[in-house]
Amino acid sequence: MKEISYFERQRMSPWILIITALIMTGTTILFSNGNIKITLPVLITLVVLAVLYFVFAMQTVIDDNGLYVKFSILQWKYRFIAWTDVEQAYIRQYNPLFEYGGWGYRVGMKKGGRSNIAYNMQGNIGLQLVLRNGNKVLIGTRCPEAIDEILKALINRGVIQAVEENQ
């Protein structure tokens, strides 16, 4: 039996960096009047943002045992979710702003003390996991077809159960 293996690395949208840089540069040009005390902090901030863009990433690993997800810089270790802890797993479209308040590592509470966690960098498609304890974890992806194939393989092996209808 072939071992299941998947790796995805996502970065922030480059448009965030471009728009931020344009706004900061334009504001500095308009209001600094050549004052180095204003210009220097803006330039340093732009350099820091550029470095963060290349360093900050979300990594997702899926194998036979479960799913691992990590935000570089924010987390030192991967968060591991074993397939034995998963009640449902399916690909779904979501609204990052309205459902989670944006992109990144998001934690929200639902009624009854259940947590609703999202790991997402960009886009609006993700792997929704409903855990046996009632908590939900959403992991954003840019490759939903590849993850869907992995879910089908896991269902065929009896590791997870099929979901009748994506919710």
Side-chain angles (χ1 to χ4, degrees), residues 2-4 6 13 48 65 67 71 104 121 123 160-162:
K2 185 180 173 189
E3 185 176 307
I4 292 174
Y6 174 80
S13 170
V48 168
N65 300 316
L67 182 138
F71 271 104
M121 288 296 284
I160 61 173
Q161 293 185 353

Side-chain angles (χ1 to χ4, degrees), residues 132-150:
R132 296 200 187 282
N133 64 9
N135 294 340
K136 292 183 178 182
V137 179
L138 181 97
I139 294 116
T141 182
R142 291 176 43 213
C143 305
E145 297 86 11
I147 293 179
D148 197 44
E149 289 298 315
I150 289 172

Side-chain angles (χ1 to χ4, degrees), residues 35-104:
N35 186 344
I36 193 71
K37 289 181 181 177
I38 295 173
T39 307
L40 190 59
V42 170
L43 290 175
I44 291 170
T45 303
L46 288 173
V47 169
V48 168
L49 284 173
V51 169
L52 282 176
Y53 172 76
F54 290 104
V55 174
F56 191 63
M58 183 180 91
Q59 299 170 7
T60 306
V61 178
I62 300 174
D63 66 18
D64 290 322
N65 300 316
L67 182 138
Y68 306 79
V69 64
K70 176 175 94 166
F71 271 104
S72 59
I73 297 178
L74 297 179
Q75 295 173 284
W76 292 103
K77 295 181 186 179
Y78 281 93
R79 176 181 179 195
F80 174 67
I81 301 171
W83 292 123
T84 55
D85 295 334
V86 176
E87 189 173 304
Q88 296 179 352
Y90 53 91
I91 300 293
R92 78 174 182 95
Q93 190 170 4
Y94 64 98
N95 187 317
L97 290 175
F98 291 117
E99 290 184 53
Y100 298 100
W103 293 267

Side-chain angles (χ1 to χ4, degrees), residues 8-22:
E8 181 178 357
R9 180 186 200 112
Q10 292 184 52
R11 296 192 184 282
M12 290 184 293
S13 170
W15 288 108
I16 293 171
L17 181 64
I18 292 168
I19 291 170
T20 303
L22 288 173

